[in-house]
Amino acid sequence: MTAAARRAVVIIGAGPVGVTAALLLARHGVRTVVLERHRDVYPLPRAVVVDDEIRRILQNVGVHEEFASLTRPAAGLRLLDARRRVISEFPRSLRGHHGFPQTSMFDQPDLERLLREALARRPECELWGGVEVVSVTQDTAGPNDPTSPVRVTFRRDGSVMEEHLWADAVLGCDGAGSLTRDAIGAVWEDLRFEESWRVIDVRTSRPVRTWEGVEQICCPDQPATFMRVGEDRYRWEFRMADDQNLDGPDGWERLRELVAPWVDLPSDASQGDDFEVIRQAQYTFRARLADRWRKGRVFLLGDAAHLTPPFVGQGLCTGLRDAYNLTWKLARVLQQGAPEGLLDTYERERKPHARHVIRVAVAMGWAMTGGQDRSAALRRAVVGTACRIPGVTAVVSRDLSPALTAGPLVRRRPRLTGRKLAGTFCPQPWVLHDGRRVRLDDVLGDSFAVLTAGPATAQMAAVATALGASTIRADDLGDDGTLAGWLARARVDAVLLRPDHIVMDTVPAGTGDFTDTAAWAPLLHTARHTADARLA
């Protein structure tokens, strides 16, 4: 094996998940090569919405300012009945927990171009277009040896000759038809939702009757989703059978009927020059979850690991969360010699989270369509009634991205104050740093951090030293009181933040110390960085 044929990480697929993973690894100094069969960004719309957590991830890969110029915030989500009366509304704020609008509309090709431009600026990253991956194999010395190099076999455009790359790890970001998923022997778990929908993207200067958010029509005969994506860009989604289409001589009239609640079109298609259909495509919306996300050093991310119906706008978001969760752990294993067990926490943390998001999306899909059986009307009535109960809309909104479950990197201990913070993101206010107004993550950086409400104790300082973490006092950050209030409401004196800015552990008020560092220190190899007995 030549040195030129060896890479730290090979990423299969240069969509948003794959390129984001490469950029996040580059921040940790990990070299990657991204293999993509297409030579350029796919030019037509697909994903159109991200939440504030994803905006925060884009901040961490350095494209948030450019992305902000290409997006527009949405007011939220409305469920409407067949007569377009509001069943329930899920409002979204212009400034969420992560410091960005809670819902942002965008055009996926725009995001992909931004990410690829950022990739081109990183010397740690290579993008090879026009490459078809043929196989992914890893020969391990035994079941307890996942560290042998992974071989990726590929062909370049127009060539029948097979070439090889060896990598310390491979990330399969290669979509629903993932070759990587087959390579690790993973199979789909069917979460019982499958419907055929027509997606129509339009550019028009005609007056459109729209609420500045997403509308979902809950009607068994013709369920639909409508949203304004940009200044003159709109998307409709209609449940339609595969044999129904909008082409041919009757297509315009059928389209005219479908969009009539929102926009008036002339009966003659030749007079509709100010209503341009950019793209229409038939999709089968499915709910699926791979039964395994890892074998050795081969991992699944994004649609290779899970398929989410689009009704709550979380398909792309879930994939980018995968990248954010895995990359810092992989960098720590590859560069700092952390134990292989750290990588086991990727699937352990992400899979339940993805399952929850899929179930919420499926529930919303059932609210819209109700299914086609005799119980459909009853289900829709129950959903409509539940959504009118005070507090239900707030719970649904909050739980689109719930806390990570307890585990080695989420220390949620019973009967202790502050336990509800574990597994959740630290809020991100604007702060003052070196005389400049910046977002909190620009201060936290890419490592661990101990955030305190008051002076750090000796044990807090020892934890920070062991992890190579910064120790930051909330009152010194010059924010608007967000961080101090967040700690005070949870009744904690300090939190330990992971490199992905999720709370790993807490110091309950008045106790002075992290309570169980011995449980997680070996996983992160803190013991080799310090012999301080105060960690035990």
Side-chain angles (χ1 to χ4, degrees):
M1 183 192 317
T2 66
R6 181 75 178 259
R7 296 293 189 280
V9 179
V10 169
I11 298 173
I12 304 174
V17 175
V19 177
T20 297
L23 290 169
L24 289 167
L25 286 168
R27 286 179 63 99
H28 293 281
V30 178
R31 301 188 67 86
T32 62
V33 59
V34 184
L35 306 180
E36 170 58 48
R37 60 178 178 170
H38 300 295
R39 290 196 173 275
D40 201 358
V41 169
Y42 185 70
L44 296 178
R46 281 153 293 152
V48 293
V49 60
V50 292
D51 59 26
D52 56 328
E53 183 179 329
I54 302 310
R55 292 284 298 268
R56 189 172 185 175
I57 295 174
L58 296 178
Q59 173 195 344
N60 280 269
V61 299
V63 301
H64 66 294
E65 292 182 355
E66 297 94 332
F67 185 65
S69 69
L70 301 172
T71 66
R72 56 176 299 278
L77 168 68
R78 280 180 177 171
L79 301 184
L80 309 178
D81 64 16
R83 296 169 61 184
R84 300 189 71 200
R85 296 174 299 187
V86 176
I87 298 172
S88 186
E89 182 173 319
F90 303 88
R92 295 292 187 265
S93 168
L94 289 176
R95 182 181 171 186
H97 185 77
H98 301 278
F100 295 96
Q102 287 184 298
T103 300
S104 297
M105 312 303 297
F106 73 104
D107 195 10
Q108 182 171 333
D110 291 341
L111 172 60
E112 291 198 35
R113 291 187 190 98
L114 283 181
L115 290 170
R116 289 200 182 189
E117 289 167 3
L119 195 77
R121 295 192 293 267
R122 298 298 309 222
E124 304 90 346
C125 305
E126 300 174 75
L127 172 59
W128 295 4
V131 170
E132 179 189 5
V133 175
V134 176
S135 66
V136 177
T137 56
Q138 182 177 18
D139 297 323
T140 60
N144 297 319
D145 175 30
T147 62
S148 298
V150 185
R151 187 175 72 171
V152 180
T153 304
F154 63 93
R155 288 192 292 260
R156 300 181 190 271
D157 269 353
S159 174
V160 296
M161 184 179 69
E162 292 186 349
E163 301 178 58
H164 307 287
L165 278 174
W166 282 263
D168 295 318
V170 169
L171 309 188
C173 306
D174 46 347
S178 171
L179 174 146
T180 314
R181 187 177 59 249
D182 294 339
I184 69 170
V187 297
W188 285 127
E189 175 189 353
D190 189 348
L191 299 182
R192 301 184 181 278
F193 187 93
E194 184 168 324
E195 291 188 345
S196 187
W197 284 63
R198 176 60 59 98
V199 178
I200 306 165
D201 287 287
V202 165
R203 178 177 289 111
T204 183
S205 58
R206 285 179 170 267
V208 179
R209 296 176 286 275
T210 178
W211 173 61
E212 292 299 312
V214 179
E215 296 179 351
Q216 294 190 340
I217 310 301
C218 302
C219 171
D221 299 321
Q222 187 60 82
T225 302
F226 167 71
M227 64 200 77
R228 181 179 178 183
V229 178
E231 189 63 31
D232 61 351
R233 282 258 289 103
Y234 303 87
R235 170 171 287 188
W236 282 271
E237 298 171 357
F238 299 99
R239 188 176 68 184
M240 297 175 65
D242 290 339
D243 59 357
Q244 293 179 291
N245 62 66
L246 304 178
D247 302 318
D250 299 326
W252 178 262
E253 183 57 31
R254 176 61 174 148
L255 176 61
R256 183 168 171 263
E257 292 173 359
L258 288 171
V259 302
W262 296 276
V263 60
D264 298 321
L265 297 183
S267 57
D268 187 345
S270 65
Q271 299 175 14
D273 292 343
D274 53 358
F275 188 88
E276 177 193 0
V277 177
I278 303 170
R279 171 180 180 256
Q280 58 166 312
Q282 194 78 9
Y283 285 96
T284 301
F285 295 159
R286 294 185 174 93
R288 291 181 175 178
L289 198 64
D291 66 338
R292 62 187 303 177
W293 292 24
R294 177 196 179 195
K295 182 178 180 182
R297 288 280 187 83
V298 182
F299 303 85
L300 303 181
L301 295 82
D303 286 355
H306 41 73
L307 297 178
T308 308
F311 306 118
V312 290
Q314 288 292 305
L316 176 59
C317 297
T318 307
L320 293 178
R321 290 189 185 100
D322 295 342
Y324 201 43
N325 183 285
L326 174 61
T327 49
W328 73 266
K329 299 171 183 177
L330 184 57
R332 198 169 182 92
V333 170
L334 295 180
Q335 294 193 315
Q336 299 182 29
E340 201 74 16
L342 180 59
L343 300 177
D344 293 335
T345 66
Y346 166 60
E347 181 176 342
R348 178 171 178 170
E349 291 183 344
R350 288 296 307 137
K351 191 173 183 180
H353 197 280
R355 184 185 296 275
H356 174 90
V357 169
I358 294 171
R359 284 176 171 168
V360 171
V362 168
M364 193 67 75
W366 282 118
M368 293 175 63
T369 68
Q372 294 79 41
D373 59 30
R374 294 180 180 179
S375 301
L378 175 60
R379 281 197 296 271
R380 286 193 302 279
V382 169
V383 169
T385 300
C387 286
R388 292 186 178 98
I389 298 173
V392 168
T393 56
V395 170
V396 172
S397 299
R398 184 177 67 243
D399 284 348
L400 281 178
S401 183
L404 297 181
T405 55
L409 299 180
V410 176
R411 309 300 298 167
R412 189 180 294 120
R413 290 172 291 278
R415 297 181 299 279
L416 289 178
T417 59
R419 65 184 299 270
K420 290 184 178 180
L421 288 189
T424 68
F425 272 93
C426 173
Q428 183 180 212
W430 288 93
V431 300
L432 291 176
H433 181 66
D434 292 337
R436 296 184 301 117
R437 188 169 179 263
V438 298
R439 298 181 187 272
L440 177 63
D441 287 1
D442 295 333
V443 178
L444 295 178
D446 298 315
S447 188
F448 291 86
V450 176
L451 180 66
T452 69
T457 65
Q459 193 254 15
M460 292 178 195
V463 167
T465 299
L467 293 172
S470 55
T471 302
I472 304 170
R473 183 170 174 172
D475 289 344
D476 294 337
L477 287 169
D479 69 339
D480 57 1
T482 295
L483 294 170
W486 176 66
L487 296 171
R489 285 189 299 274
R491 292 185 293 168
V492 300
D493 288 338
V495 293
L496 173 60
L497 301 178
R498 307 179 343 175
D500 53 7
H501 312 312
I502 287 174
V503 177
M504 177 173 165
D505 205 351
T506 61
V507 175
T511 62
D513 291 330
F514 292 103
T515 56
D516 191 21
T517 58
W520 48 258
L523 187 63
L524 299 169
H525 266 188
T526 57
R528 80 182 203 170
H529 294 297
T530 180
D532 198 322
R534 289 171 294 182
L535 284 176

